[in-house]
Amino acid sequence: MNGMSWRVVDLTHPLTTAMPLWAGDPAIEIQPWASYDQEGYLINRLTIGEHSGTHWGTPNSFIPNARSADQFTAQELVVPAVVLDRRESTESNPDYCFSLADLEAWEARYGLVPSGSLVILFTGWQDRWNHSPSFFNRDAQGTCHFPGFGAEAVAFLIAERHIVGLGTDTHGVDPGSDPTYAASTAIYEADGLILECLAGLDQLPPTGAILVIGGLPVQGGSGSPARVLALLPAV
């Protein structure tokens, strides 16, 4: 890019049959299909839900007749990232909800969220990925307890900062205990996209990274597992 050197950070968890799955989603299967011994080459057959692993979601996930995965252009999948590191808040409060006041405090320190950004809530949940019970953190009644965006903050980011998407290292941009999915609904109604189950967020600065979202353009799909890369100017 204009002769500049870039460092690449992978924000993707590997796909495995043991990774955390949202309740009711399709089971992940990785089945041998062709082998070196029999066919002379190797192919596996995959069975996986669109919103499994590190993945992107598109507006038709919640909104009938909204845009699907195949309707997003390549240009829309290369976007600047804003990273809100809230690990100090989530460590003591798994139900932490990112508020408008939190956003105002963040902007006072780092500057206004740039227009056209995808805003990522870094909760620290990426470190729980290999332990599904703590990743979903369900109570005895089955309610999940993990952090997320508050609806008021998301509405402001959409209306006043003109963001194009939300991201997080949990399995949902809404707090796990929110049955209304208010944050998800708001960004989808604004024709934005969502990234979930991100990894490697500790390697990103608050601003300055460029995301390359390798989501599959599934016809009529509501997203797909994705290889998400971040580009950082080399120091």
Side-chain angles (χ1 to χ4, degrees), residues 46-226:
L46 304 180
T47 301
I48 190 169
E50 291 177 327
H51 291 215
S52 297
T54 301
H55 64 274
W56 72 318
T58 52
N60 65 328
S61 299
F62 282 11
I63 313 298
N65 301 315
R67 281 206 296 169
S68 56
D70 54 315
Q71 295 174 325
F72 276 74
T73 67
Q75 288 78 7
E76 290 178 282
L77 301 181
V78 181
V79 295
V82 167
V83 181
L84 312 169
D85 186 349
R86 306 302 298 177
R87 287 177 291 176
E88 288 188 6
S89 299
T90 63
E91 186 174 359
S92 59
N93 181 16
D95 293 314
Y96 169 77
C97 186
F98 184 79
S99 68
L100 184 54
D102 293 332
L103 176 62
E104 291 170 347
W106 188 93
E107 290 192 327
R109 181 175 181 180
Y110 297 108
L112 300 186
V113 171
S115 176
S117 296
L118 189 144
V119 178
I120 298 171
L121 185 64
F122 179 20
T123 72
W125 250 242
Q126 64 180 34
D127 297 333
R128 302 182 180 216
W129 181 251
N130 292 320
H131 187 251
S132 185
S134 64
F135 190 77
F136 287 105
N137 202 25
R138 293 186 176 94
D139 60 25
Q141 288 70 44
T143 300
C144 295
H145 295 276
F146 55 76
F149 285 95
E152 186 182 18
V154 173
F156 181 88
L157 285 166
I158 293 168
E160 303 297 332
R161 299 295 180 259
H162 310 292
I163 66 168
V164 298
L166 298 173
T168 186
D169 53 351
T170 74
H171 225 306
V173 294
D174 309 276
S177 57
D178 176 12
T180 69
Y181 303 111
S184 295
T185 300
I187 195 65
Y188 284 149
E189 287 181 340
D191 198 36
L193 56 85
I194 291 176
L195 300 179
E196 293 172 343
C197 303
L198 293 170
L201 296 178
D202 54 301
Q203 300 179 64
L204 301 189
T207 62
I210 302 295
L211 299 182
V212 180
I213 304 165
L216 298 174
V218 180
Q219 185 175 27
S222 65
S224 75

